[in-house]
Amino acid sequence: MNMSRRWLFAAAGALAMSVTAGAALAQSYKAEYKLSTVVGKPFPWGNAGERWGDLVRERTQGRINIKMYPGTSLVGGDQTKEFTALRQGTIDMAIGSTINWSPQIKELNLFSMPFLMPDHKAIDALTQGPVGKKIFELLAARDVEPLAWGENGFREVSNSKRAIRTPDDMKGLKLRVVGSPLFNDTFSALGANPTQMSWADAQPALSTGAVDGQENPLTIFTVAKLHTVGQKYVTLWGYVADPLIFVVNKTVWASWTPADQKIVREAAEQAAKENVVAARKGIVAGDDSVLKEIEGLGVTITRLSDAEFKAFQAATKPVYEKWSKQIGPDLVKTAEESIAKR
């Protein structure tokens, strides 16, 4: 056999192997990857999910097609079951709340410690520092691949009854909270009556007066038009924040090529950065447009003085100390040190 014929046979063999490998790759990829979020568009959280999917679809030329399922609809709306379903493979990907996943990962309760994070720089100090790295290590050991930190924002309290300026003002108020024991402890310590329910059930409950109020980031307040369901009073107290985490099921992650993994990770990082900007828009120094919008709806916004803020801290100190032990004193100490250095 002459050299030219050998070269042709070799080239044909290489082409056949390439086609076979390409077919195998195409077969191993799903036609659709299910992405779970608690809320959809036009909330910043939902926008982030759509943005992530769009970036991945574009950069992989459609090899990875992501469809967002808002309302945690893949788990019947039960937000606290999302992480378990993600581990089991019922959900392929998620942009999850540290609050909703805390029942399965106790360390995530750190972000719900009352009055731990005084400002956005404190959030960044945690998510972008040693605490964030530790959390990602914990997640990676639980069948998921963590990719990026997003943000749902500081959670402010609203209600239909009265302005809240002191812990005494909260006594007797029926307030919707997420399904976390730490939230129950915090609001019970303040004299309120916390009621756990999903966000899907919260708005009807507010409308009928089954609950008096709720706590959520202000972007939720404006987009969901909570002023139309009796929420006349908002107190800015920033008692906890809710970072979001972009993750992929470990088995799904392993099914992609290293090149596609890199694309998905970089797309998550970009979508997350855009999400953080959107979550903070209108509520930071120099841009209080969201606050003005809410006040323009006839809602009373209460801003706490330093002394008033410290009164809430004092009232919830026993809760802070109790949960520090449960979360892990070393992690809490690292968080406090990171915030102090910000």
Side-chain angles (χ1 to χ4, degrees):
M1 184 181 295
N2 60 36
M3 286 295 291
S4 61
R5 183 169 293 184
R6 287 179 180 173
W7 183 88
L8 286 173
F9 273 114
L15 178 61
M17 290 176 63
S18 176
V19 170
T20 301
L25 176 62
Q27 192 173 11
S28 69
Y29 279 33
K30 296 182 180 182
E32 173 190 297
Y33 292 92
K34 296 179 173 64
L35 168 64
S36 179
T37 61
V38 171
V39 294
K41 294 181 64 179
F43 298 97
W45 192 342
N47 289 340
E50 183 165 285
R51 178 64 167 156
W52 189 17
D54 288 346
L55 288 170
V56 170
R57 192 177 302 108
E58 174 187 338
R59 294 175 183 179
T60 62
Q61 289 79 52
R63 286 190 304 279
I64 298 178
N65 179 46
I66 298 171
K67 182 177 179 181
M68 184 171 66
Y69 289 80
T72 44
S73 56
L74 297 172
V75 286
D78 189 339
Q79 298 162 210
T80 60
K81 291 181 179 179
E82 183 181 57
F83 187 74
T84 299
L86 182 66
R87 294 187 68 185
Q88 294 172 343
T90 305
I91 296 171
D92 299 311
M93 315 165 70
I95 302 177
S97 158
T98 53
I99 297 169
N100 293 336
W101 294 357
S102 62
Q104 287 79 41
I105 306 168
K106 66 176 184 178
E107 291 84 358
L108 290 180
N109 283 293
L110 175 74
F111 299 101
S112 298
M113 291 279 278
F115 306 103
L116 169 65
M117 297 167 283
D119 51 37
H120 288 113
K121 288 183 179 180
I123 301 176
D124 295 339
L126 298 187
T127 60
Q128 307 306 313
V131 168
K133 182 179 179 181
K134 178 62 176 178
I135 295 296
F136 272 22
E137 290 173 356
L138 293 170
L139 288 169
R142 288 171 169 82
D143 307 314
V144 302
E145 183 71 22
L147 304 178
W149 287 98
E151 192 169 302
N152 192 28
F154 277 109
R155 301 177 76 91
E156 315 294 5
V157 64
S158 72
N159 79 98
S160 60
K161 300 296 185 182
R162 54 184 174 268
I164 296 173
R165 190 172 286 280
T166 70
D168 283 345
D169 294 327
M170 296 191 69
K171 289 183 178 178
L173 288 179
K174 294 177 291 183
L175 298 175
R176 176 266 175 181
V177 298
V178 296
S180 163
L182 176 47
F183 280 67
N184 272 350
D185 286 354
T186 297
F187 281 87
S188 295
L190 293 169
N193 180 13
T195 303
Q196 294 183 349
M197 62 178 66
S198 70
W199 180 242
D201 295 331
Q203 286 174 279
L206 290 167
S207 181
T208 61
V211 293
D212 301 316
Q214 58 84 55
E215 48 77 51
N216 253 313
L218 294 180
T219 52
I220 300 290
F221 190 99
T222 56
V223 176
K225 300 180 179 179
L226 294 186
H227 67 287
T228 66
V229 289
Q231 298 302 283
K232 301 177 182 178
Y233 304 95
V234 171
T235 292
L236 303 181
W237 63 345
Y239 80 117
V240 300
D242 185 18
L244 304 176
I245 310 176
F246 290 61
V247 302
V248 178
N249 169 275
K250 207 83 161 182
T251 301
V252 170
W253 182 256
S255 73
W256 294 333
T257 65
D260 281 343
Q261 289 176 350
K262 183 173 184 290
I263 289 172
V264 174
R265 184 183 298 278
E266 290 178 349
E269 291 169 349
Q270 180 176 337
K273 287 179 181 178
E274 294 174 6
N275 162 245
V276 170
V277 172
R280 298 178 183 182
K281 185 177 180 181
I283 57 173
V284 294
D287 179 12
D288 60 353
S289 56
V290 168
L291 301 178
K292 289 179 179 177
E293 178 185 351
I294 293 173
E295 287 179 317
L297 298 171
V299 176
T300 299
I301 293 182
T302 300
R303 296 164 174 83
L304 301 180
S305 67
D306 288 343
E308 290 168 338
F309 183 84
K310 288 178 180 178
F312 282 97
Q313 279 186 311
T316 56
K317 185 178 180 181
V319 177
Y320 190 102
E321 293 175 344
K322 169 189 173 181
W323 279 87
S324 291
K325 297 174 184 177
Q326 296 191 31
I327 293 166
D330 289 344
L331 185 62
V332 174
K333 182 180 179 181
T334 299
E336 292 170 342
E337 291 173 348
S338 296
I339 290 172
K341 293 175 182 177
R342 76 188 187 284

